Amino acid sequence: MSLQFELCPGRMIGGSHPCFIIAEIGQNHQGDIEIAKKMIKMAKDCGADCAKFQKSELECKFSKRALERPYNSKHSWGKTYGDHKRHLEFSHDQYRELKRYAEDIGIFLTASGMDEMAVEFLHELDVPFFKVASCDANNFPYLEKTARKGRPMVVSTGMQSMETIRRVYKTVKEHNQKFTLLQCTSAYPLDPKEVNLSVIRKYQEEFPDVPIGYSGHEKGIYITVAAVAMGAKVVERHVTLDKTWKGNDHEASLEPSELAELVRAIRLVETAMGSPVKQMLPCEKTCHDKLGKSVIAKVKIPKGTVLSLDMFAVKVGEPKGIPPEHMQQLVGKKIKVDVEEDDSILADMIE
């Protein structure tokens, strides 16, 4: 598999392509489709590539007892966990409406399929790629069925061991060549000490044919920008319209001004990454003309003298002469002209 592939129609990831930025709305829409649309528009206006939700078929994702347990959290939208989740879950028709809206304003839309039935619906919805949440990264029947559908996949890897991720890689790759792995720590908000960006390097070493990315839950933007500087080709961050709203994810989410700044910072870092070829650039010529140093005669050197290192000094000279890195190449050669002390040694003075 190539290190680069088309994640969304017309949008490549990996290689030298720009980092793909996912604005994770999740369930921060408070169960209100109009808020959801505002958040899609916000993601578009801030420069994100994709707005993402979380889709569940609750009876497939949760056991009956899990849905019936009391839920007394300050973030609860109902007396039971099932009531709470039902309040936040959009219907199939609502998802179709959201997808049409995203298409109308020009941003990709997808969702994490939180169970196998949700993946079936998202496949029917024709999302550009499947997002696998960290809680399903070790769900191998789910991974295999999802991979077999042939859509590109973005797999978060929170809560998993390296041994498990090696198995994830093999399982998905057997059926689907277009996928990416995201380093992730599943804590909200995430303490910087627990981010472990170094895992990105480990993934790049172990899975060199897969683009590697980062899914972050920390506060602020700096760590995510650092992930891009380390080579992350996909980044995902939770977003919100108001961090004070009810819900577990809002505190670890970015408000519009932060998301916009993150996008600007990522694009700036990508520009700054530039070329791996080290050379003097045209933009450096002014500085070089002013301050670049040359080989200078440390003493008077008569015509015909065989040159040695003790005859040379390095200074900013006028005119600019032989660069210091070529000084050793002058040793043993003869000078064709008389050179005064403190004069530049020029190439045409050497036999």
Side-chain angles (χ1 to χ4, degrees), residues 22 24 26 28 52 54 112 131-135 156-159 182-192 194-197 214-221 223-224 235-239 243 248-254 262:
I22 300 172
E24 163 67 303
N28 281 353
K52 190 181 83 65
Q54 296 172 7
S112 298
K131 170 66 197 299
V132 177
S134 292
C135 57
S156 280
T157 60
M159 303 181 286
L182 309 188
Q183 160 57 0
C184 176
T185 302
S186 300
Y188 307 80
L190 175 58
D191 189 313
E194 308 295 340
V195 171
N196 291 334
L197 284 182
Y214 174 68
S215 177
H217 306 119
E218 74 279 359
K219 294 181 180 180
I221 70 169
I223 290 171
T224 302
V235 296
E236 176 185 76
R237 288 297 304 271
H238 285 255
V239 297
K243 292 183 185 183
N248 290 303
D249 289 344
H250 291 288
E251 187 180 357
S253 300
L254 301 178
L262 174 65

Side-chain angles (χ1 to χ4, degrees), residues 163-309:
E163 181 180 357
T164 297
I165 299 309
R166 291 187 184 105
R167 187 177 167 194
V168 169
Y169 168 84
K170 291 177 65 175
T171 300
V172 175
K173 196 169 190 295
E174 182 179 352
H175 306 288
N176 191 335
Q177 301 294 299
K178 297 180 179 181
F179 69 100
T180 175
L181 299 171
L182 309 188
Q183 160 57 0
C184 176
T185 302
S186 300
Y188 307 80
L190 175 58
D191 189 313
K193 295 192 296 293
E194 308 295 340
V195 171
N196 291 334
L197 284 182
S198 295
V199 174
I200 292 175
R201 295 277 191 238
K202 182 65 174 176
Y203 283 178
Q204 290 166 336
E205 292 169 5
E206 291 235 5
F207 315 119
D209 56 350
V210 174
I212 301 303
Y214 174 68
S215 177
H217 306 119
E218 74 279 359
K219 294 181 180 180
I221 70 169
Y222 301 120
I223 290 171
T224 302
V225 174
V228 175
M230 293 178 69
K233 299 302 182 182
V234 176
V235 296
E236 176 185 76
R237 288 297 304 271
H238 285 255
V239 297
T240 182
L241 296 180
D242 189 337
K243 292 183 185 183
T244 67
W245 278 356
K246 182 164 73 173
N248 290 303
D249 289 344
H250 291 288
E251 187 180 357
S253 300
L254 301 178
E255 290 183 340
S257 62
E258 294 174 299
L259 177 60
E261 181 59 25
L262 174 65
V263 173
R264 285 193 295 269
I266 286 173
R267 300 309 178 211
L268 179 63
V269 165
E270 288 177 326
T271 299
M273 294 296 284
S275 168
V277 178
K278 182 59 184 171
Q279 58 185 332
M280 188 170 76
L281 300 175
C283 66
E284 297 178 290
K285 186 177 185 304
T286 299
C287 184
H288 182 261
D289 288 348
K290 182 179 180 181
L291 298 175
K293 293 187 175 182
S294 303
V295 178
I296 304 295
K298 189 174 183 180
V299 295
K300 184 175 180 178
I301 308 176
K303 177 181 177 180
T305 300
V306 176
L307 298 173
S308 59
L309 283 177

Side-chain angles (χ1 to χ4, degrees), residues 29 59 68 101 119 127 203 273 276 332:
H29 49 68
E59 284 71 25
E68 290 176 347
Y101 178 76
V119 171
V127 295
Y203 283 178
M273 294 296 284

